[in-house]
Amino acid sequence: MHYEGNIIRPPSEADSILLQVTVGCSHNRCAFCGAYTGERFRIKDEARVFADIDYATRHMPMLRRLFLCDGDAMVLPMARLRAMLARIRERLPQVARVGTYASARSLRGKSLAELTELRSLGLSMVYMGLESGDDALLARMGKKSCVADILDKSRLVREAGMKLSVTVIAGLGGSGGWQRHARLTGEALTAMQPDQAASLSLIPVPGTPLWDWIADGSFSLPQGLDMVRELRMTLEHTNMERGLFLADHASNHVPLRLRMPRDKARGLELLDAALAGERPIRPERARRL
């Protein structure tokens, strides 16, 4: 496979064919993200992508999932997506699920009819970064999409028949704004009703604006049990009718994997036990992106 730069994929795509169709992120201005720092966004040559699909045909015939890298493959025009998904179906008929990252910005260029067509061609899993339900916080972090816009585009994804996974970030509100961030994030997840909600815990990355804000004292990073307390409030305000609520990323202090709504009470109890000192939390040295 021909890869350029950093290849980022969701934890649940660990056993997937990673097909890089773009390099970098089309936005690449989020204050907390260092995944593609210094990398110029570009769309990869179609012939190169098709050659990688053929390579996967020869060397990965048993893998049943495929993920389109990098940061936001949905910026590709419909003609490119149609041709690519048709090639995947032709050359990799065993692939039962194709997934991709998507943002509200890239989804603005796709109608419900077009998303439904992409679903019929095999694109069935979309990962979106909500990060926070607080519009002011999203603006400060450079997201360039408001909560209402993210909710609207997530609704289109679900109406098109695709599964939706949504990421949020504990700690993003800082020590002073954590309560508002947690409450509004839970309320936004409730409105979105994703198939999967995944909460990560903030880890600052050198070279990002957030790293500089911490250094100059304008942002105070919550620590340890404060992150756990925030995760608890987010879960408390999240009322999903179905699906998974996950906090099992390596960045999290207390790993959770909850089937909602059945396991919500158990999740709150586990977090309460950690806050009371009855359950250990992951030490800082063990937390990783």
Side-chain angles (χ1 to χ4, degrees):
M1 303 289 276
H2 177 266
Y3 295 132
E4 300 177 41
N6 291 328
I7 304 298
I8 308 296
R9 50 98 180 141
S12 58
E13 299 289 346
D15 296 323
S16 299
I17 299 168
L18 302 181
L19 180 66
Q20 189 181 34
V21 299
T22 67
V23 178
C25 173
S26 60
H27 179 54
N28 203 24
R29 293 183 180 87
C30 292
F32 54 85
C33 181
Y36 305 109
T37 300
E39 199 164 272
R40 181 179 62 85
F41 174 78
R42 58 196 182 278
I43 295 174
K44 292 186 72 172
D45 180 72
E46 186 174 62
R48 178 70 266 177
V49 173
F50 282 11
D52 284 346
I53 293 173
D54 291 342
Y55 180 91
T57 300
R58 296 190 300 273
H59 297 281
M60 308 171 194
M62 302 303 293
L63 297 183
R64 293 176 51 79
R65 293 182 178 181
L66 183 146
F67 184 75
L68 305 175
C69 307
D70 275 335
D72 194 357
M74 288 299 284
V75 300
L76 291 172
M78 279 296 296
R80 286 289 299 270
L81 287 168
R82 284 191 194 100
M84 183 172 56
L85 291 169
R87 183 79 168 205
I88 292 168
R89 176 166 287 181
E90 173 192 352
R91 302 290 288 150
L92 296 164
Q94 84 281 5
V95 169
R97 189 182 89 179
V98 178
T100 184
Y101 287 125
S103 67
R105 295 176 74 246
S106 66
L107 288 169
R108 287 173 197 158
K110 304 290 188 296
S111 67
L112 175 58
E114 288 173 326
L115 290 175
T116 303
E117 180 185 356
L118 294 176
R119 174 64 186 92
S120 72
L121 293 171
L123 184 60
S124 56
M125 186 72 179
V126 171
Y127 298 84
M128 293 185 70
L130 168 65
E131 326 306 3
S132 175
D134 184 346
D135 273 330
L137 182 54
L138 291 181
R140 185 187 183 193
M141 292 295 163
K143 279 288 289 186
K144 299 301 181 184
S145 293
C146 66
V147 174
D149 194 21
I150 297 172
L151 264 59
D152 180 63
K153 300 306 179 290
S154 70
R155 176 184 55 79
L156 288 182
V157 167
R158 295 201 63 195
E159 287 186 11
M162 299 174 181
K163 289 189 178 298
L164 176 66
S165 179
V166 177
T167 302
V168 299
I169 304 177
L172 205 61
S175 296
W178 72 270
Q179 289 177 302
R180 176 179 171 84
H181 167 51
R183 175 176 56 81
L184 293 178
T185 298
E187 292 174 0
L189 288 174
T190 300
M192 295 175 85
Q193 290 295 313
D195 298 278
Q196 179 174 289
S199 178
L200 285 64
S201 294
L202 182 63
I203 296 180
V205 178
T208 61
L210 179 65
W211 182 271
D212 296 335
W213 298 343
I214 293 172
D216 67 22
S218 59
F219 185 94
S220 177
L221 181 69
Q223 301 293 322
L225 291 178
D226 291 332
M227 288 277 201
V228 178
R229 188 173 294 110
E230 180 178 322
L231 176 60
R232 190 203 186 284
M233 180 174 284
T234 299
L235 178 58
E236 179 185 355
H237 287 274
T238 300
N239 295 301
M240 292 167 56
E241 297 173 2
R242 53 183 293 278
L244 294 173
F245 184 98
L246 306 175
D248 56 354
H249 187 264
S251 65
N252 294 119
H253 293 83
V254 178
L256 296 177
R257 186 178 182 87
L258 309 174
R259 174 68 61 181
M260 299 288 275
R262 181 191 69 193
D263 298 334
K264 178 176 177 177
R266 180 174 64 84
L268 293 173
E269 289 174 1
L270 290 172
L271 295 170
D272 285 338
L275 291 169
E278 299 167 358
R279 175 186 175 90
I281 67 171
R282 180 175 283 145
E284 291 300 316
R285 66 179 180 276
R287 294 175 61 233
R288 293 178 175 84
L289 288 175

